[in-house]
Structure formats: C-alpha cells, structure tokens
C-alpha cells in the first residue's frame, strides 16, 4: 500500500462535513485547519488534522508544505474544452466594438469553431485536449465537465464525445461528458430547424445513450439559437432516456430560461446573466443549481453579471465555472473566475472557493468522493504558492499552484 503525508500546510481548507451543496451563509464556512496535515493511502485521504495531531501516525514518506495553502482540487462544472481552431480574430473584432451576435452573423461564433472541429481528426482533437488537460492541472483544476456542440452532425458530435471519453480514460483528469448538440443550428439545417431538433431527439440522443457517451444533455436556450419549445422537446427526450439536464439559459436575453430549467428539474441552470427576481425565485423553489460564468461576461466585454448575491442570500448553492471555450471565454483559470466573482458579483473569497469545489462536485453528482478534504475522499488536492485561501482570487491572474495531485499522484 502506498502511503504518504503532507504536513505543515499553513491552511488546510477541508470544507469537511459538507455532504454536498449547502445554501446561503454556509458557503462562507471553509473548515480550515491551521498547520494542517493530511495522510494519503492508495489515492484516498486517510486522515486530516493538525500536524501535531497526526504526528504519531505519519508514514515515512512525508512532504513538507512549508506553510503553503492546501485546498481540494478545483472542479470546473462547465467547459467546452474540446474544439479545433482559435478565434483570436473575433477577440480583435470585439476590441473594435463588434458584438458577439454581430460576429456570429458574419460567419464567426459557434459556426466558426464548428468548421475547425469538423475538420479536425479525432486524434488531433485528443492531442489538443491532452494539452488543455495539463493546463487545467497547472491551474489547480482536477475534474472538468465538458460539452460537445462544435460538431453539429451525428458523426461529429459523437466524435467529440469519444475524444472526451479518451481524455477521461487516458489522462488522470475526470472528464464528465455532456451532449450539447443543441448549441447552434448547423448551416445544413438553416430554414429547417425542426429537422435538426428531430435529428437530435430521434438519432443523436439514442445513439449517445446506447454507447454510454454522455452523462448530461445541454441546450442553448436563446434568441436565434434554440427556442424554449425546442429546448423542452430535447429536454424531455433526454429525460426519457434517464439523462439529466444542464441548460444554457438567460445568457444574452431573459427568455424565462431559469424558470424552464427549474420546472424541468434540470441539474443545473447555467449563465443566468439576465435572470430576474422571478427566475431566481423559481430556482430557489427547485433542485436546480445555478452555475455562474463571469469570465464569459468579462471576455465578451459586457458588464451585466449574474446576481450571485441575491441567489446566495436566497438560499441557492451557487457554482462557479470557467465556461472555457474558444469564443466567449478563452480561459481555463478558475482562480481568475474567482477574482471576477468577488469583484463583480459581490461574492466573498470563501463563497467563491466553495462554489468551485464542494458545490461544483454536487452539481456533477460527484460530492460523494470529491470536493472536500476528508477521510474516505479521493486525494485530489492543490498546494498553492500562497498561505491564505483569500490569496487565490487576490493575486489576480497570477496565483499558481505549487503542485497538484489526483488520487495522490502528482499531475501538476
Ligand atoms: O457558453 N453560449 C453558448 N455557448 C458558449 C459560447 C460558445 C462559443 O462562442 O463558441 C457559452 O458562452
Ligand atoms: Fe457554455
């Protein structure tokens, strides 16, 4: 049995005792152990306590954290991390004053990434994905959710999902796959959107279920993308096949998407920039968790952030994620997302850390084995070049982990 310990963590942020997402003020409680220590055995946490408390049971292999901060590995519950190409040209256009929609209308946007993703082979996408997985580790992230949605044909959507499965199998990263065939209407179906929705419901979802390629189904509920009725049809088909929902709602316009997600009993409602009080009330009365993506607001040069404060004060277990994608959010950094959440959305550093660890784990149905540092959980953790958890959002765009572990193995 392999056994090692980390000792002298300036702060060991455990979040322990949190079975999963807890709403409201509890998001501020981190359960920090000062001068903390943790024993890892066979990839699992055996014990946590102060260095003093664990001193009698320490194994031979001991690594001294030298007063550094130790947290659970960060969990990114909303990414589009498999794609071909790069859209730096669109970034430049936005700098010149063009909007996200305007860029989409001249052939950019999701369809631009669709073209590059279709053109890429499965091996090429895997290689790009592998490099991105390493960058996630280097930024402290040890589990990601990942969406398809740049293929938009039967074959290309399945190709993207197979790449995710390979990344999950062949790297130490957990990649939770979500089918997002309803990301945009592909050009072949322009003028016949109904046929594309039927293709998703009648062919893509059943094939994905048969092959066990996705855990969730998503749809982009938005003006010029998918209507609430189309989303309803796709969502109820997914539920018929026992797939849970994560939905892109109320990002650019308020289409009542939060209430729709709540009504459908979706696992998550993501974005919510335009969600009003009624939408927040609908979420508060449901099991649907809000997933907020401030980096996409920032990188689109917009200034309307989701109302995290009202959500948390209303008892909602807020999750933060990067929305990493080549268009609206070209960043893999959850620490950067935390900085934005604190400064632009009124979240405290403790709430921000809770939102991308234990709450994110709960939103992916993974809270039983990760998201906190306590005995019995996976030894997925980050040792930071910092002493205090508040430094993660504070050293803006700068803070880095010293080292990152997945199941007790060093990955970054
Ligand atoms: O979550 N809103 C839809 N999807 C992505 C953007 C995708 C893209 O621009 O490529 C998002 O922001
Ligand atoms: Fe997204």
């Amino acid at each position: 049995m392999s056994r090692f310990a980390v000792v002298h963590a300036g702060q060991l942020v455990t979040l322990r005792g949190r079975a999963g997402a807890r709403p409201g003020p509890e998001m501020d409680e981190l359960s920090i152990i000062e001068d903390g220590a943790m024993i890892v055995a066979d990839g699992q946490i055996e014990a946590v306590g102060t260095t003093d408390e664990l001193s009698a049971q320490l194994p031979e292999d001991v690594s001294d954290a030298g007063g550094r901060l130790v947290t659970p590995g960060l969990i990114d519950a909303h990414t589009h991390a498999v794609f071909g190409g790069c859209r730096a040209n669109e970034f430049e256009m936005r700098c010149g004053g063009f909007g996200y929609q305007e860029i989409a209308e001249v052939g950019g946007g999701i369809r631009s990434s669709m073209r590059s993703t279709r053109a890429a082979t499965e091996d090429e996408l895997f290689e790009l994905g592998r490099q991105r997985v390493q960058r996630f580790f280097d930024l402290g992230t040890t589990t990601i959710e990942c969406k398809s949605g740049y293929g938009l044909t039967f074959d290309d959507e399945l190709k993207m999902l197979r790449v995710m499965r390979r990344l999950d199998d062949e790297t130490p990263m957990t990649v939770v796959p979500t089918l997002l065939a309803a990301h945009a209407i592909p050009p072949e179906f322009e003028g016949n959107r109904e046929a594309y929705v039927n293709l998703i419901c009648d062919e893509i979802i059943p094939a994905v279920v048969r092959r066990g390629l996705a855990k969730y189904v998503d749809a982009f509920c938005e003006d010029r993308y998918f209507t609430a009725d189309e989303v309803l049809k796709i969502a109820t088909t997914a539920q018929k096949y026992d797939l849970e929902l994560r939905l892109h709602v109320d990002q650019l316009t308020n289409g009542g998407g939060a209430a729709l997600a709540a009504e459908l009993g979706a696992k998550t409602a993501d974005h919510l920039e335009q969600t009003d009080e009624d939408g927040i009330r609908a979420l508060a009365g449901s099991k649907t968790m809000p997933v907020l993506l401030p980096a996409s607001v920032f990188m689109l040069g917009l200034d309307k952030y989701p109302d995290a404060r009202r959500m948390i004060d209303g008892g909602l277990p807020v999750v933060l994620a990067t929305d990493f994608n080549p268009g609206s959010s070209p960043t893999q950094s959850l620490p950067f997302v935390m900085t934005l959440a604190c400064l632009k959305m009124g979240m405290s550093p403790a709430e921000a850390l809770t939102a991308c660890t234990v709450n994110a784990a709960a939103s992916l149905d993974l809270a039983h084995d990760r998201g906190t540092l306590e005995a019995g959980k996976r030894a997925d953790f980050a040792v930071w070049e910092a002493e205090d958890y508040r430094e993660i959002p504070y050293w803006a765009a700068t803070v880095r982990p010293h080292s990152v572990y997945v199941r007790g193995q060093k990955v970054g």
Side-chain angles (χ1 to χ4, degrees), residues 79-92:
T79 85
H80 307 249
V82 170
F83 57 86
C86 154
R87 281 154 55 195
N89 62 321
E90 294 184 12
F91 176 74
E92 185 185 37

Side-chain angles (χ1 to χ4, degrees), residues 224-379:
R224 293 185 246 201
Y225 292 86
F226 291 85
T227 66
D229 281 345
E230 289 164 343
V231 171
L232 188 64
K233 179 166 183 199
I234 293 162
T236 46
T237 305
Q239 289 176 327
K240 211 174 76 198
Y241 285 96
D242 286 332
L243 290 172
E244 286 207 81
L245 305 169
R246 317 178 78 80
L247 297 174
H248 280 73
V249 291
D250 299 345
Q251 178 184 11
L252 306 168
T253 54
N254 180 357
L260 176 68
E263 217 169 282
L264 283 163
K267 189 76 204 177
T268 65
D270 302 41
H271 276 290
L272 306 172
E273 286 87 336
Q274 313 299 330
T275 302
D276 58 14
E277 245 185 285
D278 288 346
I280 294 176
R281 211 170 303 117
L283 289 174
S286 77
K287 65 167 194 134
T288 304
M289 298 177 71
V291 179
L292 308 183
L293 311 163
S296 67
V297 183
F298 183 81
M299 292 305 296
L300 288 179
L302 302 174
D303 50 22
K304 189 156 189 251
Y305 287 82
D307 197 345
R309 206 55 270 150
R310 199 188 283 269
M311 292 179 201
I312 294 172
D313 295 343
L316 280 165
V318 163
V319 177
L320 288 171
T322 59
D323 195 16
F324 171 49
N325 74 72
S328 65
S329 191
T331 180
Q332 296 181 237
S333 172
L334 277 171
F336 174 58
V337 166
M338 288 169 64
T339 301
L340 292 174
C342 293
L343 287 177
K344 303 286 192 182
M345 288 154 55
M347 289 175 70
S348 69
E351 287 169 339
L353 187 55
T354 300
C356 43
T357 52
V358 65
N359 284 10
S363 87
L364 293 168
D365 299 299
L366 293 173
H368 58 282
D369 74 357
R370 70 195 78 187
T372 68
L373 297 180
E374 54 194 329
K377 296 249 172 136
R378 288 163 58 113

Side-chain angles (χ1 to χ4, degrees), residues 79-83 122-134 136-137 142 144-147 159-177 324:
T79 85
H80 307 249
V82 170
F83 57 86
E122 207 160 314
D123 284 342
E124 285 165 350
L125 289 175
F126 175 76
E127 181 49 31
L128 287 167
R130 212 185 46 74
Q131 291 165 19
R132 291 174 194 146
V133 160
Q134 188 55 51
F136 274 117
F137 287 145
T142 51
I144 62 168
E145 182 264 10
C146 185
K147 301 172 196 299
K159 173 175 82 175
M160 289 186 73
L161 292 169
R162 282 194 303 272
V163 170
M164 292 172 213
R165 174 180 280 177
R166 269 184 75 190
L167 291 168
D168 184 67
D169 287 347
E170 297 176 32
T171 76
M173 179 65 84
T174 299
V175 180
V176 180
F324 171 49

Side-chain angles (χ1 to χ4, degrees), residues 197-216:
V197 173
N198 288 339
L199 174 72
I200 296 174
C201 293
D202 301 341
E203 296 180 43
I204 300 182
I205 292 177
V208 163
V209 169
R210 263 196 312 277
R211 293 164 176 76
L213 278 170
K215 186 166 170 191
Y216 300 100

